[in-house]
């Protein structure tokens, strides 16, 4: 069964840290670029970061605070989130882009992705 399962979300105070994990199964994980995206209540999906072919990219809103990584042997994707802010509050999804490249702009919302998980909630609040 092709699926992505996220974990690691929770409630954290501003300035805190969380590490999200995503377990992939049913496809050759190492062959795909992968991404983290998020969706806040009432807002569209926002690309956060992606990784593939040795390259990592971040949105301006998280650059310098978040770190994406992967373990192909474990078919796992990670997102280390430091210096969390209230505006980081959202449901976070592990996602497989339809067309991965270091030039991709991901401007079509969920239509840019062929697979995503059920999400893990991140809430940053004091």
């Amino acid at each position: 069964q092709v699926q992505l399962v996220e974990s690691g979300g929770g409630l954290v105070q501003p300035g805190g840290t969380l590490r999200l994990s995503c377990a992939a199964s049913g496809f050759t994980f190492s062959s795909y670029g992968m991404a983290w995206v998020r969706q806040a209540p009432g807002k569209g999906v926002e690309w956060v970061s992606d990784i593939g072919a040795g390259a990592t990219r971040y949105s301006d809103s998280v650059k310098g605070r978040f770190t994406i990584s992967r373990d192909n042997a474990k078919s796992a994707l990670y997102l280390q989130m430091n210096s969390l802010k209230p505006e980081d509050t959202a449901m976070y999804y592990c996602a497989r882009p339809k067309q991965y490249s270091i030039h991709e702009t991901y401007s079509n919302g969920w239509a840019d992705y062929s697979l995503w998980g059920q999400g893990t909630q991140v809430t940053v609040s004091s």
Side-chain angles (χ1 to χ4, degrees):
Q1 182 180 3
V2 177
Q3 65 176 358
L4 300 169
V5 179
E6 302 92 338
S7 62
L11 172 64
V12 63
Q13 292 186 342
T17 65
L18 281 174
R19 187 185 191 224
L20 305 185
S21 299
C22 170
S25 60
F27 64 99
T28 305
F29 180 74
S30 59
S31 297
Y32 291 87
M34 295 296 297
W36 285 99
V37 303
R38 64 188 182 186
Q39 188 168 32
K43 295 189 176 182
V45 62
E46 176 190 8
W47 169 78
V48 173
S49 178
D50 63 17
I51 183 169
T56 58
R57 298 190 304 159
Y58 301 91
S59 67
D60 288 342
S61 62
V62 308
K63 196 174 297 182
R65 300 187 297 122
F66 290 11
T67 303
I68 191 172
S69 62
R70 66 191 296 166
D71 185 336
N72 289 334
K74 295 182 178 180
S75 294
L77 183 71
Y78 306 101
L79 187 68
Q80 177 68 41
M81 304 188 295
N82 299 330
S83 303
L84 282 160
K85 304 175 181 180
E87 50 264 43
D88 294 319
T89 295
M91 186 73 79
Y92 283 71
Y93 299 88
C94 171
R96 191 178 76 185
K98 287 182 179 176
Q99 296 286 342
Y100 168 79
S101 83
I102 60 172
H103 306 294
E104 181 60 51
T105 57
Y106 302 114
S107 57
N108 299 306
W110 288 113
D112 284 325
Y113 307 96
S114 57
L115 180 67
W116 56 91
Q118 84 290 347
T120 185
Q121 178 67 39
V122 171
T123 303
V124 185
S125 174
S126 55

